[in-house]
Amino acid sequence: MSPRLTNKSMFFSVFLTASALLINWIGGVEIYRWVLLRSADNIASAKVTAETFDPCSGRGCVGNGGPYKIKYEFNILNSELTYVYTGQMLFMERWVRVPKSVWEPAAKNGQINVLYAPQNPKINQPADIARLSYTNAFGLALLGVFMSVVCIFYWRGYKV
């Protein structure tokens, strides 16, 4: 017979379960993006809608991809839909961080080449930046699986 959950451990179990579900969802989206973009070769010309230089200093700026950011939109043939960069969210327009070598011509010309998945053009990125790494996608999925296992133990009343 497993021990009963106290109010404190019940709250923690619910919080941990919600966190595991969120991380699994984000990991799933990243795996989906990685699978579609790893073999994509469709390139479209996008119109730069905004660009910014956001100088950043301090600990929070390490590894964030640099201070050069752009927003863009593009259309593909035989479609009246306009697509934008959405990042991990796949439903919200976001800024994309690019290296200076990509940002300068994009800001000057107002155009940038975009690599997109033909099955789902919402999944896109600037063509001149490195393709997505599988470590990000599968690392999040592995973390989500680990958290799910911990959740199962907590729901059964075990202390982990």
Side-chain angles (χ1 to χ4, degrees), residues 102-121:
V102 173
W103 184 81
E104 283 179 337
K108 181 181 175 189
N109 302 332
Q111 294 286 109
I112 188 168
N113 288 332
V114 176
L115 175 72
Y116 68 92
Q119 303 90 332
N120 186 355

Side-chain angles (χ1 to χ4, degrees), residues 23-37 85-90 94 123 132-141:
I23 288 176
N24 279 316
W25 178 67
I26 293 171
V29 168
E30 280 299 300
I31 290 171
Y32 178 66
R33 291 186 74 224
W34 177 76
V35 166
L36 290 181
L37 277 181
Y85 178 77
T86 55
Q88 292 178 332
M89 297 301 154
L90 295 180
R94 299 182 44 178
I123 298 175
L132 295 172
S133 168
Y134 71 91
T135 56
N136 184 28
F138 291 102
L140 281 171

Side-chain angles (χ1 to χ4, degrees), residues 4-159:
R4 292 178 51 94
L5 290 173
T6 63
N7 284 343
K8 184 177 179 183
S9 62
M10 177 68 94
F11 173 77
F12 183 71
S13 296
V14 169
F15 177 76
L16 190 62
T17 302
S19 299
L21 289 172
L22 180 64
I23 288 176
N24 279 316
W25 178 67
I26 293 171
V29 168
E30 280 299 300
I31 290 171
Y32 178 66
R33 291 186 74 224
W34 177 76
V35 166
L36 290 181
L37 277 181
R38 79 185 166 117
S39 60
D41 59 354
N42 297 52
I43 295 183
S45 180
K47 181 178 109 181
V48 175
T49 57
E51 77 273 338
T52 185
F53 174 72
D54 184 18
C56 189
S57 61
R59 272 191 341 192
C61 297
V62 176
N64 68 3
Y68 303 97
K69 300 187 291 187
I70 61 171
K71 285 185 180 182
Y72 58 79
E73 62 182 27
F74 68 98
N75 297 47
I76 57 175
L77 297 174
N78 304 326
S79 175
E80 295 179 11
L81 297 174
T82 299
Y83 298 99
V84 297
Y85 178 77
T86 55
Q88 292 178 332
M89 297 301 154
L90 295 180
F91 58 86
M92 200 170 97
E93 182 179 13
R94 299 182 44 178
W95 291 93
V96 59
R97 292 186 182 273
V98 294
K100 184 177 183 181
S101 61
V102 173
W103 184 81
E104 283 179 337
K108 181 181 175 189
N109 302 332
Q111 294 286 109
I112 188 168
N113 288 332
V114 176
L115 175 72
Y116 68 92
Q119 303 90 332
N120 186 355
K122 285 184 188 178
I123 298 175
N124 61 73
Q125 69 179 33
D128 296 331
I129 64 174
R131 298 206 181 190
L132 295 172
S133 168
Y134 71 91
T135 56
N136 184 28
F138 291 102
L140 281 171
L142 187 62
L143 177 64
V145 167
F146 174 74
M147 286 181 67
S148 298
V149 169
V150 171
C151 288
I152 290 169
F153 281 114
Y154 263 95
W155 280 108
R156 293 193 175 252
Y158 298 105
K159 299 288 182 189

